[in-house]
Amino acid sequence: MTRYGPDECDVLIVGGGGAGLRAAIAVAETDPTLRVAVASKVYPMRSHTVSAEGGSAGVIKSNDSIEEHIYDTISGGDWLCDQDAVEAFVNEAPKELLRMEHWGCPWSREPDGQVAVRSFGGMKNKRTWYAADKTGFHMLHTLFQTSLKYEPVKRYDEYFVTSLLVDDGRCQGVLALEMATGQLHTIAAKSVILCTGGFGKAFPFTTNANIKTGDGVALAYRAGVALKDMEFVQYHPTGLPFTGILITEATRAEGGFLLNKDDYRYLQDYNLGEPKPEPVLRTMELGPRDRLSQAFEQERLKGRTIKGPYGDYVHLDLRHLGEQHINERLPMVRELCLKYEKIDPVTECIPVRPVVHYTMGGIHTDIMGATNVAGVYAAGEAACVSINGANRLGSNSLTELLVFGARAGQAAAAYAKESPDFSPRLQALADDAAQDIEKTWIAPRSKRSKDTIAGIRKELHNQMENGAGIYRDAKSLQTARETVLELQERAQHVALQDTSYTFNTELTAAIELRNLLELSSAIIESALQRTESRGSHQRTDHPKRDDEKFMAHSLAYRTEYGTAPRIEYAPVTITRWPPKERVYG
Amino acid sequence: MQKTITIQVKRYIPEKQPTPFYQDYEVPLETKWGVLDALTYIKDELDGTLAFRWSCHMGVCGSCGMMVNGQPALTCATFLEEYLPGPICIEPLDHFPVIRDLVIDTDAFMGKLKYVKPWLIPAEERSVDDGENRQTPAELAAFKQYTLCINCLLCYSACPVVGLNEDFLGPAAIALAQRYNYDSRDAGQTQRHDVLLDHGGAFDCTLIGECSRACPKHVDPTGAIQRYKADGAMEFWKRLLLPRGAAKR
């Protein structure tokens, strides 16, 4: 039997955010004898789950129902969600949130000590659990701290995974770069769960952290896993201009207004209902994110937004909520505005614009997180199960990483236990992958290129914003397609200035850029071939939803590097909720 | 009007040069730019070899702590305009071994964090079928402040005791232990006494208060430690007088 010494485990999780940590705990609880490890390019508590603000949805109150949460999610996703997955998700959500409560998550409370819930966009009832407006922060720290008590969970902090090692159609581990030393390590694993988050950093204006470069999604893609529904990219309607910092939807749930340059609540012009002084669920400012971002863009075209040095914006008005309410429910919003915009939302309006926030698409998995490559699993934003369809509802994603993190952990554990020994070719595979890195990035260039990582990244951002943004058409997408393929080629020749092995962040940035380029190409191709408009994917040349042709998931398969992917389609699972028109207001 | 500002960075690249050195960079003085924006500008436009950690750019991930003009700071939440006319000196956080440039080695801290048992230890295990624990807003408020730590390590850099005694658990780890000790759902204080009363525990703190001044999230580790000293002293005497009698909590 081939052994790999200490760097051998049963289940390896790549990514230490919410989904990864939940998966690790699930593996440890499924079978404490399993060796489980978490490898991440950052320390777990730095993961982007930390930035989530508003809350996590799950039916807990007696005036709410499982049925309604399911319906809100399916209609919010414009009928592209797999309904069996949504049912499982909504059913398991309360249990997962209760476990977080038992693990110490500091949920905000009602006066009698029950967990409090708030309204959220696109949700018909109050069902969003929250910890003030730092819900993701508290969930991540609770999961991280809880994970420390599980002895079998080993961590590879600041290990950047560069390839999956697949032999005989079965994934058996990864190659990972230890950032502190620059050494490449083979970590053998019976199964691998990818929990590396989304790829919002393909776009210039985003709420996403610097680390959100879709590394795990790209790893899967290169290993032959299909990427599902990549064309669906969510713009959050309220980010700060310049920094892209998220101003949570909870501001609107608490009663905030969106105003154009004439102080007019412009959402009333976009089929989102009548303006009322109090927030009304599923109407106006509490409509879904795709509709609100599209309304902004329409207002901009009408010249009714406000011009600023970092692009056009509108006003988010919280002044009528009062200082005490803002401090109690939205302390981070106030803190962020004071710090980064030098304004106080108690007395001033907040400038906001739509910013890329979440990628609905990702690694094509089944309802247990399994992919079409044996031994590869995925969960969280990196995965596309799909419960989010064409548009995710706010506060479903934090719950998603719990429910599907746990499911993927259980499934990967079961698979690892049944899995045969490692292939004798594993080390040879790892050596090849290591040589590839050496050849691509470290070896001296044969031809001198003037390109830089930052320069190519900037060109990519322009293409994605202009070609594949809130509104798209065949022409804009074709231009983006050609440019991005050319950028892929040029990225191959970028010469790194940094030739040191110790903590070489230029090398990791180069790998991240290559990942973003490949994923961008999949976004563009999927968007080009979907000649309809649905949820967050709006084609000005095909403005209607076309259920006959596109009630289907797109699946992007990688071809050669530098060529566009092959797109296929798979049916959407419909159980009890046949497609209808999506109505708000 | 001033158009640029000088950023003076302490560099250390062990493979290339065994001793640290300082390097100056001239960056545009943009309104709204944080110190971190200046560093990413350097990385993207001037010098690809500069190494530093960053991620969220909104003061919550805790990655980008550095010394800015001698004071520990989150560079994403510290702005160029606060340092006019410059120069601004950026160094790695004090009291940590340096891996490279502005990147410090935090492994010792990660070990200390685990050592204080920072997880909920309930009096008895509950299953999800038992439903939620009730916790009133007042009970939540009793520990909420201590949950706000982002592990940015500015407090370790500010604390003179950390600089002298590498065994000291340090402000963030003790505040985190207290976060669970004061949680109405927790019954693990006895187990945490074993750690906090030990060598390197809370009594090594001299209550200078630098950690609380450095904390960007107003966690007030000094307050947490001070409160512990009252509880811990009682426990210490109980343990001395009644070896097995110290009350379980």
Side-chain angles (χ1 to χ4, degrees):
Chain A
M1 181 176 157
T2 318
R3 292 200 67 86
Y4 294 88
D7 288 336
E8 182 187 20
C9 53
D10 293 297
V11 182
L12 175 71
I13 294 149
V14 184
L21 293 170
R22 183 64 190 88
I25 293 171
V27 175
E29 288 190 334
T30 302
D31 183 347
T33 66
L34 288 176
R35 297 157 303 172
V36 52
V38 178
S40 171
K41 67 178 177 178
V42 292
Y43 283 90
M45 65 279 194
R46 314 298 185 212
S47 308
H48 188 57
T49 305
V50 84
S51 301
E53 297 174 14
S56 188
V59 174
I60 180 105
K61 301 295 178 191
S62 53
N63 61 354
D64 195 7
S65 78
I66 294 283
E67 197 86 1
E68 283 176 308
H69 189 187
I70 295 173
Y71 185 78
D72 286 344
T73 302
I74 291 170
S75 57
D78 218 350
W79 273 272
L80 197 68
C81 314
D82 282 324
Q83 297 183 359
D84 55 342
V86 176
E87 286 187 65
F89 164 70
V90 171
N91 275 308
E92 286 165 34
K95 288 181 210 129
E96 284 294 329
L97 291 168
L98 278 171
R99 289 217 75 186
M100 289 297 294
E101 198 279 322
H102 293 177
W103 285 332
C105 190
W107 298 116
S108 293
R109 302 282 178 160
E110 310 276 7
D112 68 355
Q114 288 186 55
V115 166
V117 288
R118 65 164 40 132
S119 321
F120 237 71
M123 300 278 192
K124 200 169 159 195
N125 290 322
K126 290 189 182 187
R127 64 171 69 100
T128 298
W129 302 39
Y130 61 99
D133 56 356
K134 301 186 180 186
T135 312
F137 164 80
H138 286 299
M139 284 177 62
L140 181 66
H141 280 253
T142 300
L143 283 167
F144 173 60
Q145 288 156 13
T146 302
S147 79
L148 295 174
K149 78 175 175 183
Y150 291 91
E151 283 303 330
V153 179
K154 176 178 175 166
R155 287 206 325 271
Y156 294 93
D157 293 333
E158 300 196 322
Y159 275 60
F160 190 118
V161 173
T162 59
S163 22
L164 297 182
L165 304 175
V166 180
D167 188 47
D168 222 4
R170 181 162 70 92
C171 179
Q172 299 174 51
V174 304
L175 184 74
L177 174 76
E178 182 185 9
M179 292 174 65
T181 63
Q183 272 188 315
L184 288 163
H185 296 262
T186 310
I187 307 174
K190 299 283 178 69
S191 55
V192 173
I193 313 177
L194 299 166
C195 302
T196 52
F199 35 92
K201 283 305 254 188
F203 291 82
F205 288 102
T206 173
T207 61
N208 281 200
N210 185 46
I211 55 175
K212 291 284 298 291
T213 49
D215 307 318
V217 184
L219 286 175
Y221 190 44
R222 281 196 290 277
V225 178
L227 303 186
K228 192 198 288 173
D229 295 337
M230 291 293 279
E231 61 273 44
F232 297 98
V233 175
Q234 178 167 82
Y235 278 76
H236 193 293
T238 58
L240 295 181
F242 175 56
T243 55
I245 289 173
L246 171 71
I247 300 299
T248 171
E249 197 158 303
T251 52
R252 286 170 278 130
E254 298 296 339
F257 300 146
L258 281 170
L259 305 174
N260 70 11
K261 74 177 170 65
D262 307 317
D263 288 339
Y264 173 69
R265 288 174 74 186
Y266 59 91
L267 294 176
Q268 60 190 289
D269 297 350
Y270 299 95
N271 286 330
L272 285 156
E274 298 292 317
K276 298 269 161 56
E278 297 295 319
V280 180
L281 292 154
R282 278 179 72 110
T283 77
M284 289 295 292
E285 282 85 357
L286 285 178
R289 291 173 177 174
D290 56 341
R291 288 285 181 80
L292 265 58
S293 295
Q294 289 152 19
F296 170 92
E297 194 56 19
Q298 300 283 350
E299 281 292 287
R300 192 180 70 78
L301 293 172
K302 290 178 194 160
R304 304 204 301 199
T305 51
I306 305 157
K307 301 250 176 270
Y310 302 102
D312 287 24
Y313 63 90
V314 289
H315 276 142
L316 174 61
D317 188 358
L318 307 182
R319 293 172 298 178
H320 52 288
L321 301 183
E323 182 166 9
Q324 196 195 336
H325 192 82
I326 291 176
N327 283 347
E328 199 177 292
R329 301 289 188 93
L330 306 164
M332 180 141 105
V333 166
R334 191 173 184 198
E335 184 186 321
L336 290 169
C337 288
L338 286 168
K339 198 120 227 166
Y340 294 94
E341 287 290 333
K342 317 283 188 245
I343 59 149
D344 186 349
V346 171
T347 54
E348 293 161 280
C349 287
I350 309 170
V352 291
R353 58 162 285 173
V355 285
V356 166
H357 183 55
Y358 187 88
T359 48
M360 270 73 72
I363 299 167
H364 172 37
T365 73
D366 68 12
I367 202 166
M368 289 308 292
T371 70
N372 57 309
V373 172
V376 178
Y377 296 77
E381 191 183 351
C384 181
V385 179
S386 141
I387 63 151
N388 299 312
N391 172 62
R392 175 175 71 79
L393 288 191
S395 78
N396 268 351
S397 67
L398 283 177
T399 313
E400 176 180 11
L401 54 82
L402 298 173
V403 169
F404 290 98
R407 280 179 160 245
Q410 287 151 8
Y415 176 86
K417 286 198 332 193
E418 302 301 318
S419 167
D421 278 350
F422 293 113
S423 154
R425 289 186 297 275
L426 194 54
Q427 193 54 53
L429 278 174
D431 291 344
D432 285 351
Q435 266 178 18
D436 190 46
I437 297 220
E438 188 78 25
K439 207 170 69 195
T440 314
W441 304 113
I442 316 285
R445 311 275 108 174
S446 52
K447 79 178 187 202
R448 273 244 55 83
S449 156
K450 284 197 189 119
D451 280 320
T452 61
I453 292 168
I456 292 183
R457 194 195 291 132
K458 207 172 281 173
E459 285 189 54
L460 170 68
H461 284 167
N462 286 338
Q463 288 305 320
M464 296 308 284
E465 172 93 341
N466 298 327
I470 295 178
Y471 287 102
R472 309 139 171 203
D473 62 28
K475 194 162 156 264
S476 75
L477 287 163
Q478 261 151 7
T479 309
R481 177 185 196 260
E482 261 135 60
T483 315
V484 169
L485 292 179
E486 180 209 311
L487 290 176
Q488 283 191 31
E489 166 61 23
R490 277 162 54 194
Q492 295 288 84
H493 304 290
V494 171
L496 301 187
Q497 296 168 31
D498 192 347
T499 54
S500 170
Y501 284 93
T502 312
F503 221 92
N504 186 334
T505 52
E506 200 189 20
L507 171 61
T508 49
I511 300 172
E512 289 169 341
L513 176 64
R514 185 189 58 180
N515 291 341
L516 285 176
L517 285 165
E518 289 215 52
L519 300 180
S520 297
S521 173
I523 295 172
I524 292 165
E525 196 63 28
S526 307
L528 191 58
Q529 298 202 19
R530 184 178 287 272
T531 47
E532 66 154 356
S533 289
R534 183 187 296 270
S536 67
H537 172 69
Q538 294 292 314
R539 289 279 302 253
T540 50
D541 49 349
H542 297 277
K544 291 248 153 40
R545 194 173 90 186
D546 180 356
D547 284 343
E548 204 152 304
K549 263 180 86 182
F550 288 109
M551 190 73 183
H553 299 295
S554 60
L555 297 176
Y557 289 90
R558 187 176 185 269
T559 53
E560 285 289 295
Y561 182 83
T563 57
R566 184 178 85 246
I567 307 293
E568 294 179 6
Y569 291 91
V572 173
T573 306
I574 304 286
T575 55
R576 292 190 282 140
W577 295 271
K580 281 205 234 167
E581 199 193 340
R582 205 171 154 224
V583 183
Y584 291 95
Chain B
M1 215 184 102
Q2 192 177 346
K3 291 261 173 61
T4 63
I5 191 162
T6 306
I7 309 284
Q8 197 172 60
V9 183
K10 188 174 186 182
R11 306 286 316 264
Y12 172 57
I13 311 171
E15 288 160 68
K16 310 277 174 187
Q17 196 171 324
T19 49
F21 58 100
Y22 286 84
Q23 194 165 351
D24 285 2
Y25 301 96
E26 205 64 18
V27 307
L29 180 60
E30 299 277 353
T31 51
K32 292 201 181 173
W33 270 23
V35 170
L36 177 63
D37 297 304
L39 291 174
T40 57
Y41 177 85
I42 294 169
K43 178 89 180 165
D44 287 351
E45 309 294 337
L46 307 177
D47 186 352
T49 70
L50 181 64
F52 52 95
R53 293 188 180 106
W54 71 286
S55 182
C56 75
H57 200 292
M58 55 188 280
V60 69
C61 79
S63 307
C64 69
M66 299 170 205
M67 304 304 286
V68 180
N69 281 358
Q71 296 297 319
L74 286 181
T75 51
C76 76
T78 303
F79 297 87
L80 298 182
E81 289 179 338
E82 297 166 27
Y83 297 92
L84 294 179
I88 306 176
C89 179
I90 319 279
E91 296 164 306
L93 280 182
D94 276 354
H95 303 156
F96 291 92
V98 178
I99 296 173
R100 168 173 176 178
D101 292 340
L102 302 165
V103 179
I104 53 164
D105 182 345
T106 62
D107 280 354
F109 166 73
M110 295 299 283
K112 289 173 183 173
L113 208 56
K114 179 172 177 176
Y115 195 52
V116 302
K117 304 194 180 203
W119 50 79
L120 200 81
I121 302 173
E124 51 193 72
E125 287 296 332
R126 292 169 74 96
S127 87
V128 283
D129 298 330
D130 301 330
E132 64 193 297
N133 292 289
R134 293 289 180 105
Q135 184 168 61
T136 64
E139 286 170 327
L140 174 64
F143 69 97
K144 185 69 194 280
Q145 183 177 19
Y146 305 141
T147 66
L148 298 175
C149 171
I150 61 171
N151 300 162
C152 66
L153 303 173
L154 302 194
C155 58
Y156 283 66
S157 231
C159 171
V161 181
V162 169
L164 295 169
N165 172 7
E166 63 178 27
D167 294 334
F168 180 43
L169 286 172
I174 299 174
L176 186 59
Q178 289 286 70
R179 171 252 175 275
Y180 285 98
N181 283 339
Y182 288 122
D183 189 323
S184 57
R185 299 166 291 183
D186 184 85
Q189 193 170 29
T190 307
Q191 293 183 43
R192 289 185 206 102
H193 276 312
D194 296 345
V195 180
L196 296 175
L197 285 173
D198 202 3
H199 169 72
F203 284 88
D204 284 18
C205 165
T206 53
L207 293 178
I208 293 168
E210 287 297 333
C211 54
S212 293
R213 277 187 284 281
C215 178
K217 298 289 149 183
H218 315 294
V219 173
D220 189 19
T222 316
I225 296 173
Q226 203 154 18
R227 286 174 74 183
Y228 183 76
K229 284 191 175 180
D231 297 348
M234 182 73 87
E235 178 72 13
F236 175 81
W237 287 108
K238 274 190 199 156
R239 288 186 178 195
L240 203 66
L241 300 171
L242 313 156
R244 272 180 296 153
K248 287 236 154 69
R249 218 193 107 166

